[in-house]
Amino acid sequence: MDSQTPQSSQSSPASSAPHTFQVDLRGLVDLLSHHLYSSPKVYLRELLQNAVDAITARRAEQPGAPARVRLSAEGGTLRVEDSGVGLTESDVHTLLATIGRSSKRADGLQEARSDFLGQFGIGLLACFVVAERIRVVSRSARTPDARPVEWTASDDGSYTVRTLSDEARPEPGTTVHLVARPGAGEWLSRERVLALARDFGALLPYDVRVDGEPVTDLPAPWDRPYPSPAARRAALARHCHEQFGFTPLDTIGLDVPLAGVRGVAYVLPSAVSPAQRARHRVHLKGMLLTERAEQLLPDWAFFVRCVLDTDSLRPTASREALYEDGTLAAVREALGERIRAWLAGLAAGDPQRLTAFLSVHHLGVKSLARHDPEMLATMLPWLPFETTDGQLSLEEFARRHPVVHYTRTVEEFRQVAPIASAQGIGVVNGGYTYDTDLVEALPSVRPGTAVAELDADTVTAHLDSVEPAAELALADFLATARATLDPLGCDVVLRAFHPASVPALHLDDRGARHEQARARAEEEADALWAGILGSLRGGAPRARLVLNHLNPLIRRIGSLPGRELAGTATESLYGQALLMAQRPLRPADSALLNRAFLDLLEWATHREDDH
């Protein structure tokens, strides 16, 4: 082993020499176009971004330097000229020919990176997505005696550099020339270049033009002076329609200086699902970063769409989305506070607009209020709930009823609402999204309010008992009815209640439904699981069929001769009560309904035959 050790530890000079990565430029461009960028259109953003950064760099040293960007498109070619800081021949070799290198890390500009749009050094590489050849002519403002330099690159990865005469570029700055690759000429057409430049650069701080037509449109719509609030709302409504395609229900200013944000939120004119991802337009230092920002606002604020400009958020590598970090979380919280303050302002001073807003977006406000006691207290007099007294706020409903009862499902509410209303029991339908949480939170913002979940015992206790003599007269029928429904896990009771037109009421609660589900699972399980489920059988209350003694049909059925017909009538009443309660039918319930229907037909036709 000792003889082998020196041999295994030695390395040849060739193996220890460093090697340089070889980059397949065409493969890298394909990667960019198919996986990093969402569309070839980003090439123009990169060109504008480089031009704006170059001007920013020059103005950092020469505050009075010109600040202009000129674009010209014709015949599948594009020229972009800026009055920026420019490049020397050394800069060209260092910056343009090295993938991943950024001028924002060079020449002492690291401290000023926050003033620049570009952060990732990809630069002109993105232009190869639409161009087969790129030519750059640049003259440095930092080195006035340096001659202009030309850098020409092809999409095969080759490039040339040469110096030019002073006449080729008399003034400092850079001009980029693109020649479209086959099939990409449309991206370099004048109409497309102008549209993309306006989309990306409308809020840029410098003078940008395409063939003489202005691109920038400053100040931003939300920062412009208007003769009146109505004129401002009208102008912002037009802006919203241009950006999102809808006329807003209202607008919310998003001026949050501490978060480095200015902009506006537009309230959607129609309801949307909370699960639908909201997409917002975000500009970074004037340049459009994305029109699909999804994490900009809290989840509860799904009823607005935003346009804003920020200097504090970080872009991802593609510069088409926001980087999720602590800064974005702080901005999200600040914007949420702004929308919350707008809601509170409507509640305090503009109830008409608040009512119009809540008629469409009450779900979003309920989502906020269930986690925010202050917002719940503010919105309590305004948020609508379905109750046995109609559509009311919880504040108004609590004033009417000493105990606020609620159901957890829409089906439970529909089952008991007519009866509870007739008996003076106040019930809130908690079956809609967030409603149960808000009802249960009511005592925390309205001390002294009694809140209780409605159950079958509460309803039954409010129904009038029947005189003992009347119940005794129906004893045989009640015994038959109980025996008929016992296999279905349902008891039968006799009460008197209004409205008298309801012959029977099916009542159950969650405990009863859980017991029914356990029993069904026990029937369908193998021996082992049936034994386990059987051991879980508890004393949960059973469902009840409450027969209404005030209903004439019940009194007539109670006097029917024969147990068989009485049992069929009981099954019919049970099925009808289930349908009225809008309960999902079990297979056993469906079979019972079919059997009762056929038995009644048989009985009716049998009587006709007798005649």
Side-chain angles (χ1 to χ4, degrees):
M1 293 202 42
D2 291 342
S3 64
Q4 295 177 351
T5 303
Q7 181 179 1
S8 63
S9 63
Q10 290 177 350
S11 300
S12 65
S15 64
S16 62
H19 297 277
T20 303
F21 283 107
Q22 300 299 309
V23 177
D24 178 357
L25 185 58
R26 285 177 175 167
L28 187 56
V29 169
D30 182 72
L31 180 67
L32 289 175
S33 60
H34 289 91
H35 299 284
L36 183 62
Y37 295 135
S38 63
S39 166
K41 69 181 183 180
V42 297
Y43 87 92
L44 192 66
R45 184 196 63 200
E46 295 291 341
L47 288 172
L48 287 175
Q49 180 171 286
N50 288 344
V52 169
D53 285 346
I55 294 172
T56 301
R58 184 177 180 185
R59 284 202 153 187
E61 302 174 5
Q62 305 171 19
R68 59 179 180 269
V69 181
R70 298 291 181 263
L71 298 89
S72 179
E74 183 180 1
T77 64
L78 175 65
R79 185 181 77 253
V80 180
E81 181 178 0
D82 68 65
S83 59
V85 70
L87 302 170
T88 63
E89 182 177 358
S90 176
D91 293 335
V92 166
H93 284 289
T94 303
L95 302 176
L96 299 187
T98 306
I99 295 172
R101 182 68 60 86
S102 173
S103 63
K104 271 65 83 175
R105 291 195 292 268
D107 298 321
L109 292 177
Q110 177 69 24
E111 309 82 38
R113 279 185 81 183
S114 63
D115 293 332
F116 296 95
L117 301 172
Q119 299 276 337
F120 296 91
I122 294 174
L124 290 175
L125 187 61
C127 294
F128 281 119
V129 173
V130 298
E132 65 178 0
R133 188 168 71 256
I134 302 173
R135 176 171 168 259
V136 178
V137 177
S138 187
R139 183 163 191 164
S140 175
R142 293 198 187 104
T143 314
D145 57 347
R147 294 170 63 186
V149 60
E150 177 191 71
W151 176 83
T152 304
S154 299
D155 61 0
D156 62 2
S158 64
Y159 73 92
T160 61
V161 179
R162 65 189 181 113
T163 57
L164 305 176
S165 64
D166 289 338
E167 291 76 16
R169 177 85 202 195
E171 299 294 329
T174 300
T175 303
V176 179
H177 302 264
L178 302 186
V179 177
R181 65 170 53 249
E186 192 271 338
W187 288 103
L188 271 62
S189 67
R190 182 186 180 280
E191 294 75 15
R192 177 59 68 93
V193 169
L194 178 59
L196 291 178
R198 284 177 171 167
D199 196 36
F200 283 121
L203 301 184
L204 289 175
Y206 306 135
D207 180 17
V208 182
R209 297 175 184 268
V210 176
D211 290 329
E213 293 199 35
V215 167
T216 50
D217 187 19
L218 295 175
W222 50 84
D223 285 333
R224 296 173 190 168
Y226 295 98
S228 67
R232 174 182 169 83
R233 283 196 297 269
L236 291 178
R238 288 193 298 271
H239 178 254
C240 175
H241 198 275
E242 293 169 1
Q243 301 296 320
F244 297 110
F246 66 84
T247 300
L249 189 66
D250 208 342
T251 60
I252 308 169
L254 297 179
D255 183 7
V256 190
L258 292 178
V261 169
R262 289 189 64 81
V264 62
Y266 294 116
V267 180
L268 289 163
S270 56
V272 293
S273 167
Q276 179 179 332
R277 284 290 185 182
R279 294 185 170 185
H280 312 286
R281 290 177 63 90
V282 178
H283 297 255
L284 181 60
K285 305 180 186 72
M287 180 74 76
L288 178 66
L289 176 71
T290 178
E291 53 192 358
R292 299 188 304 273
E294 295 183 347
Q295 305 297 331
L296 188 63
L297 296 180
D299 290 341
W300 55 262
F302 56 81
F303 50 83
V304 299
R305 299 292 180 266
C306 295
V307 183
L308 57 83
D309 188 23
T310 175
D311 59 13
S312 62
L313 300 179
R314 289 175 57 197
T316 59
S318 67
R319 291 194 285 278
E320 295 189 282
L322 296 172
Y323 189 83
E324 184 68 49
D325 59 8
T327 302
L328 179 56
V331 167
R332 183 162 48 235
E333 182 177 352
L335 295 179
E337 285 295 330
R338 185 65 193 86
I339 297 173
R340 184 185 284 108
W342 169 79
L343 282 170
L346 288 186
D350 200 338
Q352 186 173 358
R353 284 170 65 198
L354 178 63
T355 300
F357 166 76
L358 290 177
S359 68
V360 179
H361 296 298
H362 58 274
L363 199 59
V365 180
K366 287 181 177 181
S367 173
L368 169 61
R370 71 190 180 120
H371 297 302
D372 188 332
E374 183 179 345
M375 182 54 61
L376 176 58
T378 301
M379 293 289 108
L380 202 57
W382 308 102
L383 287 173
F385 289 78
E386 184 179 2
T387 76
T388 48
D389 294 353
Q391 287 286 120
L392 287 178
S393 70
L394 287 181
E395 176 73 25
E396 175 64 22
F397 191 78
R399 283 200 296 265
R400 296 185 182 188
H401 298 279
V403 178
V404 177
H405 290 96
Y406 67 94
T407 62
R408 289 187 179 271
T409 68
V410 175
E411 291 78 10
E412 288 180 51
F413 179 80
R414 290 172 177 167
Q415 178 184 2
V416 302
I419 310 304
S421 179
Q423 307 306 313
I425 307 174
V427 185
V428 178
N429 184 355
Y432 296 113
T433 306
Y434 312 131
D435 284 11
T436 291
D437 292 340
L438 293 176
V439 175
E440 291 177 340
L442 187 57
S444 67
V445 295
R446 196 177 189 276
T449 302
V451 172
E453 183 177 356
L454 188 69
D455 56 24
D457 287 337
T458 302
V459 177
T460 305
H462 280 78
L463 304 181
D464 294 335
S465 299
V466 178
E467 291 291 334
E471 187 163 2
L472 183 62
L474 296 175
D476 290 342
F477 167 69
L478 292 175
T480 300
R482 288 168 182 145
T484 301
L485 298 186
D486 183 68
L488 297 174
C490 183
D491 293 332
V492 178
V493 296
L494 184 67
R495 292 289 189 273
F497 57 85
H498 292 280
S501 59
V502 177
L505 176 65
H506 182 270
L507 293 177
D508 64 1
D509 50 31
R510 284 187 298 161
R513 289 194 293 278
H514 289 166
E515 174 60 23
Q516 291 171 358
R518 187 209 58 77
R520 285 199 304 273
E522 182 181 354
E523 293 173 1
E524 298 169 0
D526 57 27
L528 174 62
W529 281 107
I532 294 173
L533 292 169
S535 67
L536 298 177
R537 184 184 298 110
R542 286 159 45 107
R544 300 173 192 174
L545 183 67
V546 184
L547 304 179
N548 187 3
H549 191 255
L550 298 182
N551 183 270
L553 177 63
I554 294 297
R555 292 198 294 270
R556 288 198 297 270
I557 290 175
S559 61
L560 286 174
R563 295 175 60 89
E564 183 176 353
L565 183 55
T568 298
T570 299
E571 291 176 337
S572 301
L573 289 169
Y574 174 79
Q576 189 263 353
L578 281 180
L579 294 175
M580 290 295 293
Q582 302 185 35
R583 285 276 184 221
L585 297 180
R586 300 172 295 172
D589 297 330
S590 298
L592 175 144
L593 275 172
N594 290 332
R595 182 175 65 249
F597 177 71
L598 293 175
D599 287 350
L600 286 177
L601 283 180
E602 177 68 24
W603 182 78
T605 54
H606 180 71
R607 288 193 62 191
E608 290 293 332
D609 292 342
D610 288 345
H611 289 292

